[in-house]
Amino acid sequence: MSLNIFLVSIIAINVIFSIKGFEDLNFFRKYQFHIGSIRVGEQYRMITSGFLHADIPHLAFNMLSLYFFAPVVCEYMGNFSFLLIYFASLIFGSLLTVFFHKNDFSYTAVGASGAVTGIIYSAILLDPSLSIYFFFIPIPIPGYIFGIGYLLYSIYGMKAKNDNIGHTAHIGGAIGGYIFTLLKQPNLFFDNTFMVVALAIPIVILVVMSKQGKL
């Protein structure tokens, strides 16, 4: 896999920003996602929090996921579209989090998970044959199965509220990646109709559950 300067730059910014956050608690608190601060005007946190991480494993998982999925988006859509989808997914993740947690002024979060999930969703749309390998599972998992399962798990996590994972940002990021990929590549509606419909299922479930007050 040849190195892509745009992908390398995004990873480098995440690493540098996160390491600074590990070493400087004031820096971390100034730029993390925090509902109370965002609601009094510090909207920059909706972007800067996407470049901070809680610890090294959190950073490593997100950057490895980005490293393996981003090249698919770059190959099919080009570097500019990769950047557009990355930042659109980051912002969508933050906006959805604000929407669902707007009254929880103490809610905090960090991580590139929303942006990375958007890239994963985009890659799966673009390459339906994409498979994902895990060290503990000896067979490849179809990308769309992983994408749908991951989003359904995130919806469950939003409802259960039994951990500190930013499930809402994952879903918002996936929605951002889904929408902007289809806007840039509308031919996918016809070329990969099954994938377009299948990946929409968790999004539709989220909307229905939200309207019914179940989240």
Side-chain angles (χ1 to χ4, degrees):
M1 182 187 299
S2 60
L3 292 179
N4 180 302
I5 188 63
F6 294 89
L7 173 58
V8 170
S9 297
I10 289 292
I11 292 175
I13 293 170
N14 270 280
V15 170
I16 293 169
F17 211 70
S18 293
I19 290 176
K20 173 64 175 175
F22 297 155
E23 298 174 346
D24 186 340
L25 183 59
N26 289 329
F27 179 88
F28 184 89
R29 288 177 174 170
K30 180 178 180 179
Y31 293 109
Q32 71 177 347
F33 188 98
H34 180 251
I35 288 290
S37 298
I38 290 171
R39 292 201 59 180
V40 297
E42 296 181 2
Q43 282 82 14
Y44 64 85
R45 292 172 179 264
M46 297 173 68
I47 295 177
T48 58
S49 60
F51 293 92
L52 287 171
H53 288 81
D55 49 39
I56 292 293
H58 185 207
L59 172 65
F61 179 81
N62 276 336
M63 293 305 98
L64 281 173
S65 298
L66 184 64
Y67 178 78
F68 286 114
F69 284 97
V72 176
V73 180
C74 293
E75 178 182 352
Y76 279 87
M77 300 180 66
N79 294 323
F80 177 76
S81 291
F82 157 67
L83 292 176
L84 173 65
I85 292 171
Y86 184 90
F87 282 99
S89 299
L90 191 163
I91 293 168
F92 263 67
S94 292
L95 287 173
L96 195 69
T97 303
V98 169
F99 177 78
F100 278 102
H101 298 278
K102 58 183 175 293
N103 294 320
D104 184 358
F105 285 80
S106 63
Y107 182 90
T108 61
V110 292
S113 300
V116 173
T117 306
I119 293 297
I120 291 174
Y121 240 56
S122 178
I124 295 169
L125 274 174
L126 293 165
D127 185 359
S129 65
L130 193 65
S131 294
I132 297 168
Y133 294 84
F134 290 101
F135 294 114
F136 50 87
I137 300 177
I139 58 174
I141 300 173
Y144 72 93
I145 296 295
F146 172 81
I148 293 171
Y150 187 64
L151 265 290
L152 291 175
Y153 169 72
S154 294
I155 292 173
Y156 165 78
M158 282 180 64
K159 183 174 176 60
K161 297 181 177 66
N162 57 4
D163 57 35
N164 294 319
I165 298 173
H167 297 287
T168 315
H170 299 169
I171 297 169
I175 293 172
Y178 181 86
I179 291 174
F180 277 84
T181 300
L182 291 176
L183 286 175
K184 295 288 290 184
Q185 298 278 357
N187 60 291
L188 293 172
F189 282 106
F190 306 100
D191 297 340
N192 296 331
T193 305
F194 171 77
M195 204 59 57
V196 171
V197 173
L199 292 179
I201 291 173
I203 299 173
V204 173
I205 291 174
L206 173 73
V207 172
V208 171
M209 291 182 67
S210 176
K211 286 185 174 298
Q212 293 178 346
K214 295 182 178 180
L215 291 175

